Amino acid sequence: MASRYNMSFTFGFVNSSGRLGMASGVNSIWSKRPLKPDDLIPLGSVTKSWTAVMVMQAVDEGIVKLEDSASKWIDPVLSRLWHSSMEALWGKAALRIRVHDLLGMTSCIADYDDFYMEHFTFVFAGDDAGPFLYLKSAARQGLICTPDSSNPLAVYSGANYILLGLLLVQARGFFSWQDLDQIRVIPKGLFRSGRYSHTSFSRLGRCIQYPGIAHQYAWKSWLSQNNSETFSDLLYTSCLNGWTMGNIASSALDLATFFFDLFSLPKERGGFLTRQSLLRMQQMKTLNDTWCEGPTGPGSCSYGMGLLQDQLGQDFWVLQDPTEDLSKIKVIGHPGEDWGSGCSPCGFNRRYGFGICMAYTSVIGMNCSGDFRENFLAVQTATCLAYDAVLKVLGAPRLNCTNAALPDPPQLVQCAWDRTNTTVPSLPAWQRRSPHMVVPRVETSEIVV
Protein backbone atom coordinates (compact mmCIF):
# COMPACT_ATOMS: atom_id res chain seq x y z
CA MET A 1 0.00 0.00 0.00
CA ALA A 2 2.87 2.38 0.76
CA SER A 3 4.30 1.85 -2.72
CA ARG A 4 0.93 1.90 -4.46
CA TYR A 5 -0.13 5.21 -2.95
CA ASN A 6 3.29 6.79 -2.33
CA MET A 7 2.53 7.32 1.36
CA SER A 8 3.73 5.83 4.63
CA PHE A 9 2.11 3.90 7.46
CA THR A 10 2.85 2.59 10.94
CA PHE A 11 0.82 -0.15 12.60
CA GLY A 12 0.43 -1.23 16.21
CA PHE A 13 -1.25 -4.30 17.73
CA VAL A 14 -1.41 -5.22 21.43
CA ASN A 15 -3.08 -8.06 23.30
CA SER A 16 -2.39 -10.08 26.43
CA SER A 17 0.28 -12.08 24.58
CA GLY A 18 2.44 -9.14 23.55
CA ARG A 19 2.91 -6.14 21.27
CA LEU A 20 3.72 -5.75 17.57
CA GLY A 21 4.76 -2.59 15.72
CA MET A 22 5.43 -2.30 11.99
CA ALA A 23 6.07 0.43 9.43
CA SER A 24 6.08 0.79 5.66
CA GLY A 25 7.20 3.61 3.37
CA VAL A 26 9.59 6.51 3.80
CA ASN A 27 9.76 9.12 6.52
CA SER A 28 11.41 11.81 4.40
CA ILE A 29 10.79 12.15 0.68
CA TRP A 30 13.94 14.28 0.62
CA SER A 31 16.41 11.80 2.11
CA LYS A 32 14.35 8.61 1.47
CA ARG A 33 14.93 7.53 5.08
CA PRO A 34 12.45 4.74 5.90
CA LEU A 35 9.64 5.35 8.35
CA LYS A 36 10.23 3.33 11.53
CA PRO A 37 7.65 1.83 13.91
CA ASP A 38 8.88 4.05 16.74
CA ASP A 39 8.81 7.35 14.79
CA LEU A 40 6.48 9.88 16.42
CA ILE A 41 3.65 11.08 14.18
CA PRO A 42 1.45 14.09 15.11
CA LEU A 43 -2.02 12.54 15.28
CA GLY A 44 -4.46 15.29 16.18
CA SER A 45 -7.77 14.41 17.73
CA VAL A 46 -6.76 11.12 19.32
CA THR A 47 -5.32 13.54 21.92
CA LYS A 48 -8.89 14.05 23.12
CA SER A 49 -9.00 10.55 24.62
CA TRP A 50 -5.88 11.31 26.65
CA THR A 51 -7.26 14.68 27.79
CA ALA A 52 -10.57 13.08 28.79
CA VAL A 53 -8.71 10.44 30.81
CA MET A 54 -6.69 13.17 32.54
CA VAL A 55 -9.91 14.96 33.53
CA MET A 56 -11.49 11.72 34.73
CA GLN A 57 -8.42 11.05 36.87
CA ALA A 58 -9.10 14.38 38.58
CA VAL A 59 -12.69 13.20 39.04
CA ASP A 60 -11.52 9.90 40.53
CA GLU A 61 -9.34 11.86 42.97
CA GLY A 62 -12.31 13.97 44.06
CA ILE A 63 -10.80 17.22 42.80
CA VAL A 64 -13.29 17.87 39.99
CA LYS A 65 -16.95 16.90 39.69
CA LEU A 66 -18.57 16.26 36.33
CA GLU A 67 -21.52 18.44 37.39
CA ASP A 68 -19.26 21.38 38.23
CA SER A 69 -19.77 24.56 36.28
CA ALA A 70 -16.99 24.62 33.67
CA SER A 71 -16.45 28.34 34.27
CA LYS A 72 -15.58 27.63 37.93
CA TRP A 73 -12.33 26.03 36.77
CA ILE A 74 -11.71 27.74 33.46
CA ASP A 75 -12.43 31.41 34.16
CA PRO A 76 -9.50 31.89 36.59
CA VAL A 77 -7.08 30.78 33.85
CA LEU A 78 -8.79 32.79 31.10
CA SER A 79 -8.71 35.83 33.38
CA ARG A 80 -5.08 35.75 34.42
CA LEU A 81 -3.66 34.80 31.00
CA TRP A 82 -5.94 36.67 28.58
CA HIS A 83 -8.21 38.92 30.70
CA SER A 84 -11.23 37.01 29.45
CA SER A 85 -13.91 34.58 30.64
CA MET A 86 -16.36 32.07 29.22
CA GLU A 87 -19.13 34.68 29.52
CA ALA A 88 -17.02 37.24 27.63
CA LEU A 89 -16.45 34.72 24.85
CA TRP A 90 -19.90 33.10 24.57
CA GLY A 91 -22.31 35.15 26.67
CA LYS A 92 -24.21 34.39 29.87
CA ALA A 93 -25.51 31.08 28.51
CA ALA A 94 -21.96 29.72 28.73
CA LEU A 95 -22.24 29.79 32.52
CA ARG A 96 -24.66 26.84 32.22
CA ILE A 97 -22.02 24.60 30.67
CA ARG A 98 -20.90 21.77 32.96
CA VAL A 99 -17.67 19.80 32.87
CA HIS A 100 -19.46 16.76 31.45
CA ASP A 101 -20.79 18.94 28.60
CA LEU A 102 -17.26 19.73 27.47
CA LEU A 103 -16.24 16.07 27.70
CA GLY A 104 -19.30 14.82 25.82
CA MET A 105 -19.49 17.53 23.14
CA THR A 106 -22.84 18.75 24.49
CA SER A 107 -21.69 22.27 25.44
CA CYS A 108 -23.25 23.85 22.31
CA ILE A 109 -19.89 25.52 21.58
CA ALA A 110 -19.23 25.61 17.84
CA ASP A 111 -15.94 24.43 16.41
CA TYR A 112 -13.11 26.74 15.37
CA ASP A 113 -12.55 27.78 11.74
CA ASP A 114 -10.31 24.95 10.54
CA PHE A 115 -9.63 26.54 7.13
CA TYR A 116 -8.38 29.72 8.80
CA MET A 117 -6.18 27.86 11.30
CA GLU A 118 -4.66 25.71 8.56
CA HIS A 119 -3.73 28.79 6.55
CA PHE A 120 -2.37 30.53 9.65
CA THR A 121 -0.07 27.54 10.13
CA PHE A 122 1.25 27.73 6.57
CA VAL A 123 1.60 31.52 6.37
CA PHE A 124 3.16 31.91 9.83
CA ALA A 125 5.14 28.68 9.89
CA GLY A 126 7.43 29.93 12.64
CA ASP A 127 4.59 30.93 14.96
CA ASP A 128 2.36 28.91 17.27
CA ALA A 129 -1.39 29.35 17.20
CA GLY A 130 -1.98 29.25 20.95
CA PRO A 131 -5.08 28.00 22.79
CA PHE A 132 -6.77 31.40 22.98
CA LEU A 133 -6.57 31.94 19.22
CA TYR A 134 -8.55 28.73 18.72
CA LEU A 135 -11.05 29.74 21.41
CA LYS A 136 -11.61 33.15 19.82
CA SER A 137 -12.16 31.48 16.45
CA ALA A 138 -14.77 29.16 18.00
CA ALA A 139 -16.40 32.03 19.92
CA ARG A 140 -16.96 33.95 16.67
CA GLN A 141 -19.32 31.15 15.63
CA GLY A 142 -21.35 31.64 18.82
CA LEU A 143 -23.32 28.94 20.65
CA ILE A 144 -25.29 26.69 18.34
CA CYS A 145 -27.89 25.62 20.92
CA THR A 146 -28.86 26.24 24.54
CA PRO A 147 -26.53 24.58 27.06
CA ASP A 148 -28.00 22.51 29.89
CA SER A 149 -31.20 21.69 28.02
CA SER A 150 -33.19 18.56 28.88
CA ASN A 151 -32.06 16.89 25.67
CA PRO A 152 -28.64 18.37 24.88
CA LEU A 153 -27.37 18.38 21.33
CA ALA A 154 -24.01 16.69 20.72
CA VAL A 155 -21.89 18.64 18.24
CA TYR A 156 -18.19 17.99 17.75
CA SER A 157 -15.94 20.89 18.71
CA GLY A 158 -12.23 20.90 19.42
CA ALA A 159 -12.73 24.04 21.53
CA ASN A 160 -14.30 21.88 24.25
CA TYR A 161 -11.03 20.06 24.74
CA ILE A 162 -8.93 23.22 24.80
CA LEU A 163 -11.19 24.45 27.59
CA LEU A 164 -10.68 21.13 29.38
CA GLY A 165 -6.94 21.75 29.16
CA LEU A 166 -7.44 25.07 30.96
CA LEU A 167 -9.59 23.27 33.53
CA LEU A 168 -6.69 20.90 34.20
CA VAL A 169 -4.28 23.81 34.61
CA GLN A 170 -6.46 25.22 37.39
CA ALA A 171 -7.32 21.86 38.97
CA ARG A 172 -3.65 20.88 39.19
CA GLY A 173 -2.56 24.22 40.61
CA PHE A 174 -0.55 25.52 37.64
CA PHE A 175 -0.31 29.10 36.45
CA SER A 176 -0.12 28.84 32.66
CA TRP A 177 -1.27 26.43 29.97
CA GLN A 178 2.41 25.78 29.20
CA ASP A 179 2.88 24.32 32.69
CA LEU A 180 0.56 21.35 32.11
CA ASP A 181 2.64 18.19 31.66
CA GLN A 182 0.25 15.93 29.73
CA ILE A 183 2.53 12.90 29.85
CA ARG A 184 1.69 12.64 33.58
CA VAL A 185 -1.64 11.11 32.58
CA ILE A 186 0.25 7.80 32.30
CA PRO A 187 0.24 5.93 35.64
CA LYS A 188 3.73 5.71 37.14
CA GLY A 189 4.01 1.95 36.84
CA LEU A 190 3.07 1.93 33.17
CA PHE A 191 5.35 4.85 32.44
CA ARG A 192 8.32 3.17 34.10
CA SER A 193 7.64 -0.05 32.19
CA GLY A 194 8.65 1.65 28.94
CA ARG A 195 5.33 0.95 27.24
CA TYR A 196 4.99 4.63 26.29
CA SER A 197 8.53 5.54 25.30
CA HIS A 198 7.39 6.86 21.92
CA THR A 199 4.68 9.30 22.99
CA SER A 200 5.00 13.03 23.58
CA PHE A 201 2.78 16.10 23.70
CA SER A 202 4.16 19.05 21.72
CA ARG A 203 4.08 22.59 23.02
CA LEU A 204 5.78 25.68 21.59
CA GLY A 205 7.98 25.26 18.53
CA ARG A 206 8.10 23.59 15.16
CA CYS A 207 7.81 19.84 14.76
CA ILE A 208 11.45 19.56 13.68
CA GLN A 209 12.51 20.96 17.06
CA TYR A 210 11.20 17.82 18.79
CA PRO A 211 13.30 14.65 18.61
CA GLY A 212 11.92 11.75 16.61
CA ILE A 213 8.94 13.42 14.93
CA ALA A 214 8.20 12.21 11.41
CA HIS A 215 7.66 14.32 8.32
CA GLN A 216 3.99 14.89 7.45
CA TYR A 217 2.69 16.00 4.08
CA ALA A 218 -0.35 18.25 3.68
CA TRP A 219 -2.21 18.44 0.39
CA LYS A 220 -2.77 22.10 -0.54
CA SER A 221 -6.10 21.50 -2.25
CA TRP A 222 -6.74 25.22 -2.69
CA LEU A 223 -3.75 25.44 -5.04
CA SER A 224 -5.09 22.76 -7.39
CA GLN A 225 -5.15 24.15 -10.91
CA ASN A 226 -4.04 23.30 -14.45
CA ASN A 227 -3.49 19.64 -13.51
CA SER A 228 -1.00 20.63 -10.83
CA GLU A 229 -1.05 19.51 -7.18
CA THR A 230 1.12 20.60 -4.25
CA PHE A 231 2.08 18.85 -1.01
CA SER A 232 3.81 20.69 1.84
CA ASP A 233 6.09 19.16 4.47
CA LEU A 234 4.72 20.15 7.88
CA LEU A 235 7.87 19.24 9.79
CA TYR A 236 8.85 22.91 9.63
CA THR A 237 5.56 24.30 10.99
CA SER A 238 4.19 24.54 14.53
CA CYS A 239 3.52 21.21 16.23
CA LEU A 240 1.15 22.64 18.87
CA ASN A 241 -1.97 21.58 16.91
CA GLY A 242 -4.54 23.08 19.26
CA TRP A 243 -2.80 21.89 22.45
CA THR A 244 -5.00 19.53 24.52
CA MET A 245 -7.34 18.86 21.63
CA GLY A 246 -4.65 17.70 19.21
CA ASN A 247 -0.97 17.96 20.20
CA ILE A 248 -0.03 14.31 20.65
CA ALA A 249 2.87 12.89 18.67
CA SER A 250 3.05 9.14 19.06
CA SER A 251 3.63 5.80 17.42
CA ALA A 252 0.81 3.53 16.33
CA LEU A 253 2.11 0.93 18.78
CA ASP A 254 1.96 3.31 21.75
CA LEU A 255 -1.61 4.28 20.84
CA ALA A 256 -2.68 0.65 20.50
CA THR A 257 -1.06 0.11 23.91
CA PHE A 258 -2.93 3.08 25.40
CA PHE A 259 -6.37 1.81 24.40
CA PHE A 260 -5.49 -1.76 25.44
CA ASP A 261 -4.32 -0.60 28.87
CA LEU A 262 -7.24 1.78 29.30
CA PHE A 263 -9.87 -0.90 28.75
CA SER A 264 -8.16 -4.01 30.12
CA LEU A 265 -6.19 -2.78 33.14
CA PRO A 266 -8.24 -1.50 36.11
CA LYS A 267 -6.96 1.29 38.32
CA GLU A 268 -6.41 -1.04 41.27
CA ARG A 269 -3.90 -2.96 39.14
CA GLY A 270 -2.06 0.17 38.01
CA GLY A 271 -4.41 1.23 35.20
CA PHE A 272 -5.62 4.66 34.16
CA LEU A 273 -9.13 4.90 35.63
CA THR A 274 -11.70 3.38 37.94
CA ARG A 275 -14.32 1.17 36.35
CA GLN A 276 -17.01 3.73 37.14
CA SER A 277 -15.20 6.54 35.30
CA LEU A 278 -14.46 4.34 32.31
CA LEU A 279 -18.12 3.34 32.05
CA ARG A 280 -19.15 6.99 32.21
CA MET A 281 -16.82 7.79 29.32
CA GLN A 282 -18.60 5.15 27.23
CA GLN A 283 -22.09 6.64 27.50
CA MET A 284 -22.61 7.56 23.85
CA LYS A 285 -24.77 10.19 22.20
CA THR A 286 -25.36 10.64 18.47
CA LEU A 287 -23.27 13.44 16.97
CA ASN A 288 -25.18 16.03 14.99
CA ASP A 289 -22.33 16.43 12.46
CA THR A 290 -22.89 15.49 8.83
CA TRP A 291 -19.14 15.28 8.14
CA CYS A 292 -19.02 12.14 10.30
CA GLU A 293 -20.33 9.20 8.30
CA GLY A 294 -21.74 6.33 10.32
CA PRO A 295 -24.01 3.27 9.95
CA THR A 296 -26.94 5.22 8.53
CA GLY A 297 -24.94 7.78 6.60
CA PRO A 298 -23.70 11.30 7.44
CA GLY A 299 -24.55 12.44 10.96
CA SER A 300 -24.82 9.00 12.56
CA CYS A 301 -21.56 8.75 14.52
CA SER A 302 -21.60 8.56 18.32
CA TYR A 303 -19.54 10.34 21.00
CA GLY A 304 -19.01 9.56 24.68
CA MET A 305 -16.36 11.37 26.70
CA GLY A 306 -13.23 11.44 24.60
CA LEU A 307 -14.36 8.31 22.77
CA LEU A 308 -15.89 8.12 19.29
CA GLN A 309 -17.85 5.23 17.79
CA ASP A 310 -19.76 4.31 14.64
CA GLN A 311 -17.50 6.16 12.22
CA LEU A 312 -16.73 4.73 8.80
CA GLY A 313 -13.10 3.60 8.79
CA GLN A 314 -12.83 3.67 12.60
CA ASP A 315 -15.19 0.96 13.80
CA PHE A 316 -17.87 0.84 11.11
CA TRP A 317 -16.96 -1.31 8.08
CA VAL A 318 -18.63 -3.16 5.22
CA LEU A 319 -18.46 -6.92 5.79
CA GLN A 320 -17.84 -9.60 3.19
CA ASP A 321 -20.74 -11.50 4.75
CA PRO A 322 -23.53 -9.03 5.66
CA THR A 323 -25.11 -11.61 7.99
CA GLU A 324 -22.10 -11.62 10.31
CA ASP A 325 -22.19 -9.89 13.71
CA LEU A 326 -20.87 -6.35 13.19
CA SER A 327 -20.16 -5.92 16.90
CA LYS A 328 -17.28 -8.42 16.65
CA ILE A 329 -15.18 -6.00 14.62
CA LYS A 330 -16.02 -2.78 16.47
CA VAL A 331 -13.30 -0.86 18.28
CA ILE A 332 -13.87 1.81 20.90
CA GLY A 333 -11.34 4.61 20.85
CA HIS A 334 -10.75 7.75 18.83
CA PRO A 335 -9.36 8.46 15.35
CA GLY A 336 -7.15 11.47 14.77
CA GLU A 337 -6.09 13.70 11.94
CA ASP A 338 -3.87 16.70 11.38
CA TRP A 339 -3.57 18.46 8.05
CA GLY A 340 -0.76 16.11 7.05
CA SER A 341 -1.19 12.94 9.11
CA GLY A 342 -3.74 10.83 10.91
CA CYS A 343 -4.72 7.52 12.49
CA SER A 344 -7.63 5.09 12.14
CA PRO A 345 -8.76 2.62 13.21
CA CYS A 346 -7.44 3.38 16.67
CA GLY A 347 -8.96 1.77 19.74
CA PHE A 348 -9.80 -1.43 21.61
CA ASN A 349 -11.70 -4.45 20.28
CA ARG A 350 -13.73 -5.81 23.18
CA ARG A 351 -14.72 -9.08 21.54
CA TYR A 352 -11.19 -10.29 20.90
CA GLY A 353 -9.40 -8.21 23.54
CA PHE A 354 -6.82 -6.28 21.54
CA GLY A 355 -5.70 -2.72 20.95
CA ILE A 356 -5.04 -1.61 17.40
CA CYS A 357 -3.95 1.56 15.65
CA MET A 358 -2.78 2.47 12.17
CA ALA A 359 -1.14 5.84 11.50
CA TYR A 360 -0.21 7.57 8.25
CA THR A 361 1.92 10.58 7.32
CA SER A 362 -0.41 12.08 4.71
CA VAL A 363 -4.20 12.15 4.68
CA ILE A 364 -4.45 11.27 0.99
CA GLY A 365 -2.13 9.28 -1.23
CA MET A 366 0.63 11.11 -3.08
CA ASN A 367 1.01 8.89 -6.15
CA CYS A 368 1.05 11.26 -9.11
CA SER A 369 2.10 8.73 -11.75
CA GLY A 370 -1.45 7.55 -12.53
CA ASP A 371 -5.04 8.59 -11.89
CA PHE A 372 -4.79 11.14 -9.06
CA ARG A 373 -8.32 10.29 -7.89
CA GLU A 374 -7.04 6.95 -6.59
CA ASN A 375 -5.27 8.87 -3.83
CA PHE A 376 -8.57 9.78 -2.18
CA LEU A 377 -9.19 6.06 -1.57
CA ALA A 378 -5.74 5.43 -0.08
CA VAL A 379 -6.40 5.72 3.66
CA GLN A 380 -9.70 3.83 3.62
CA THR A 381 -8.28 1.04 1.46
CA ALA A 382 -4.99 0.61 3.30
CA THR A 383 -6.48 0.68 6.79
CA CYS A 384 -9.28 -1.68 5.76
CA LEU A 385 -6.80 -4.22 4.38
CA ALA A 386 -4.60 -4.00 7.46
CA TYR A 387 -7.51 -4.49 9.86
CA ASP A 388 -8.89 -7.28 7.69
CA ALA A 389 -5.54 -9.10 7.91
CA VAL A 390 -5.80 -8.99 11.73
CA LEU A 391 -9.38 -10.27 11.65
CA LYS A 392 -8.36 -13.11 9.32
CA VAL A 393 -5.75 -14.35 11.80
CA LEU A 394 -8.32 -14.23 14.62
CA GLY A 395 -11.00 -16.04 12.62
CA ALA A 396 -13.24 -13.00 12.91
CA PRO A 397 -15.71 -11.63 10.33
CA ARG A 398 -13.88 -10.34 7.26
CA LEU A 399 -14.04 -6.86 5.75
CA ASN A 400 -14.99 -5.97 2.19
CA CYS A 401 -12.22 -3.60 1.11
CA THR A 402 -13.08 -3.34 -2.59
CA ASN A 403 -13.75 -0.01 -4.28
CA ALA A 404 -15.93 0.76 -7.26
CA ALA A 405 -14.07 1.43 -10.50
CA LEU A 406 -13.53 5.12 -11.22
CA PRO A 407 -15.18 6.41 -14.39
CA ASP A 408 -13.07 7.66 -17.28
CA PRO A 409 -11.26 9.86 -17.99
CA PRO A 410 -8.43 9.48 -15.44
CA GLN A 411 -7.10 12.63 -13.78
CA LEU A 412 -3.45 13.03 -14.71
CA VAL A 413 -1.47 15.64 -12.80
CA GLN A 414 1.99 16.88 -11.96
CA CYS A 415 2.85 17.09 -8.27
CA ALA A 416 5.32 19.23 -6.33
CA TRP A 417 6.50 18.97 -2.72
CA ASP A 418 7.77 21.96 -0.79
CA ARG A 419 9.16 22.73 2.64
CA THR A 420 7.54 25.79 4.19
CA ASN A 421 9.93 28.41 5.62
CA THR A 422 12.62 26.07 6.91
CA THR A 423 14.58 28.62 8.95
CA VAL A 424 14.38 27.37 12.54
CA PRO A 425 14.92 30.08 15.16
CA SER A 426 16.60 29.53 18.48
CA LEU A 427 13.94 29.59 21.18
CA PRO A 428 14.26 32.09 24.04
CA ALA A 429 14.82 30.48 27.41
CA TRP A 430 11.30 31.22 28.68
CA GLN A 431 9.84 29.11 25.89
CA ARG A 432 11.98 26.06 26.61
CA ARG A 433 9.46 24.32 28.84
CA SER A 434 9.69 21.07 26.87
CA PRO A 435 12.71 19.28 25.38
CA HIS A 436 13.22 21.35 22.24
CA MET A 437 16.41 20.90 20.33
CA VAL A 438 17.51 23.63 17.95
CA VAL A 439 18.64 22.34 14.57
CA PRO A 440 20.66 24.08 11.87
CA ARG A 441 18.97 25.85 8.97
CA VAL A 442 17.80 23.50 6.22
CA GLU A 443 17.92 24.77 2.66
CA THR A 444 14.57 25.10 0.90
CA SER A 445 14.20 22.78 -2.04
CA GLU A 446 11.50 21.35 -4.24
CA ILE A 447 10.81 17.98 -5.81
CA VAL A 448 8.65 17.74 -8.92
CA VAL A 449 7.20 14.50 -10.24
Side-chain angles (χ1 to χ4, degrees):
M1 289 295 103
S3 176
R4 176 180 174 182
Y5 292 114
N6 189 30
M7 62 186 297
S8 303
F9 303 91
T10 63
F11 173 83
F13 177 89
V14 182
N15 65 11
S16 58
S17 299
R19 306 196 303 158
L20 173 67
M22 297 187 292
S24 180
V26 300
N27 182 342
S28 169
I29 63 170
W30 319 99
S31 68
K32 306 302 180 186
R33 182 175 78 81
L35 187 68
K36 299 177 181 178
D38 56 0
D39 283 334
L40 278 64
I41 303 174
L43 293 171
S45 287
V46 71
T47 308
K48 293 179 176 65
S49 293
W50 296 72
T51 300
V53 168
M54 205 169 190
V55 172
M56 295 306 288
Q57 288 173 338
V59 172
D60 281 344
E61 294 170 31
I63 298 171
V64 175
K65 294 181 174 61
L66 292 176
E67 294 298 328
D68 283 348
S69 168
S71 62
K72 166 188 172 181
W73 296 100
I74 296 167
D75 277 359
V77 186
L78 285 174
S79 176
R80 67 173 172 264
L81 296 185
W82 299 292
H83 306 290
S84 188
S85 66
M86 290 187 67
E87 181 178 349
L89 290 168
W90 287 283
K92 286 189 178 297
L95 301 179
R96 303 177 185 174
I97 297 172
R98 305 295 171 181
V99 173
H100 66 78
D101 291 318
L102 298 177
L103 285 162
M105 301 291 184
T106 57
S107 68
C108 297
I109 293 174
D111 212 350
Y112 61 92
D113 186 337
D114 186 71
F115 187 76
Y116 172 83
M117 299 309 301
E118 182 177 15
H119 281 67
F120 179 98
T121 299
F122 281 118
V123 174
F124 303 103
D127 294 334
D128 296 283
F132 196 59
L133 187 60
Y134 279 88
L135 293 180
K136 287 196 297 182
S137 175
R140 290 189 198 101
Q141 323 302 319
L143 294 178
I144 56 179
C145 58
T146 302
D148 196 29
S149 62
S150 58
N151 186 28
L153 188 68
V155 180
Y156 193 93
S157 173
N160 288 316
Y161 276 73
I162 296 174
L163 291 169
L164 287 169
L166 300 181
L167 176 150
L168 287 166
V169 169
Q170 184 68 13
R172 295 301 182 185
F174 299 126
F175 178 82
S176 171
W177 65 272
Q178 296 178 56
D179 299 325
L180 183 67
D181 188 1
Q182 292 161 267
I183 205 70
R184 290 183 179 272
V185 67
I186 302 171
K188 290 181 179 179
L190 291 176
F191 184 80
R192 291 169 181 162
S193 73
R195 288 168 72 83
Y196 296 96
S197 56
H198 300 106
T199 294
S200 69
F201 295 89
S202 304
R203 284 182 274 189
L204 297 175
R206 304 187 191 201
C207 291
I208 196 172
Q209 294 173 259
Y210 290 87
I213 291 194
H215 295 254
Q216 321 110 57
Y217 304 97
W219 174 45
K220 293 183 174 179
S221 58
W222 59 92
L223 295 181
S224 300
Q225 59 181 344
N226 300 323
N227 296 320
S228 175
E229 303 291 345
T230 303
F231 294 91
S232 190
D233 188 348
L234 294 181
L235 192 65
Y236 306 94
T237 62
S238 170
C239 229
L240 186 57
N241 294 330
W243 187 44
T244 45
M245 75 167 192
N247 68 335
I248 195 170
S250 187
S251 68
L253 180 56
D254 275 24
L255 287 177
T257 301
F258 168 69
F259 286 112
F260 177 80
D261 288 346
L262 178 62
F263 285 98
S264 63
L265 190 64
K267 185 175 179 64
E268 55 268 23
R269 289 174 46 206
F272 284 87
L273 291 174
T274 63
R275 175 178 169 81
Q276 181 180 5
S277 288
L278 189 57
L279 287 173
R280 184 67 188 267
M281 287 178 66
Q282 297 172 70
Q283 294 178 7
M284 299 288 169
K285 192 171 184 63
T286 301
L287 277 175
N288 192 45
D289 293 277
T290 56
W291 59 262
C292 196
E293 187 172 354
T296 60
S300 57
C301 300
S302 301
Y303 208 85
M305 292 182 175
L307 298 171
L308 189 146
Q309 276 197 313
D310 301 321
Q311 184 182 28
L312 182 66
Q314 165 67 6
D315 71 323
F316 170 63
W317 305 86
V318 177
L319 297 177
Q320 292 183 15
D321 181 355
T323 65
E324 284 277 14
D325 183 0
L326 192 62
S327 67
K328 292 182 178 180
I329 65 167
K330 280 186 169 292
V331 297
I332 182 166
H334 208 299
E337 186 175 294
D338 287 330
W339 298 303
S341 54
C343 62
S344 64
C346 204
F348 180 73
N349 182 299
R350 289 194 186 95
R351 183 63 64 94
Y352 296 99
F354 64 82
I356 187 172
C357 195
M358 189 162 178
Y360 30 91
T361 59
S362 55
V363 295
I364 69 168
M366 300 187 293
N367 188 341
C368 303
S369 62
D371 189 342
F372 188 77
R373 297 175 299 171
E374 292 279 353
N375 291 307
F376 300 115
L377 306 173
V379 169
Q380 179 69 15
T381 302
T383 55
C384 181
L385 290 171
Y387 191 27
D388 182 60
V390 171
L391 297 173
K392 179 181 179 180
V393 172
L394 296 172
R398 302 291 302 283
L399 306 183
N400 181 351
C401 301
T402 59
N403 296 306
L406 296 171
D408 287 331
Q411 183 185 0
L412 304 178
V413 304
Q414 271 199 330
C415 291
W417 284 260
D418 65 48
R419 295 191 273 196
T420 305
N421 188 7
T422 58
T423 302
V424 181
S426 177
L427 292 174
W430 67 270
Q431 288 188 0
R432 295 177 187 161
R433 297 177 180 269
S434 55
H436 291 103
M437 65 174 186
V438 178
V439 299
R441 186 181 188 277
V442 183
E443 293 299 323
T444 304
S445 58
E446 186 178 78
I447 296 176
V448 178
V449 175

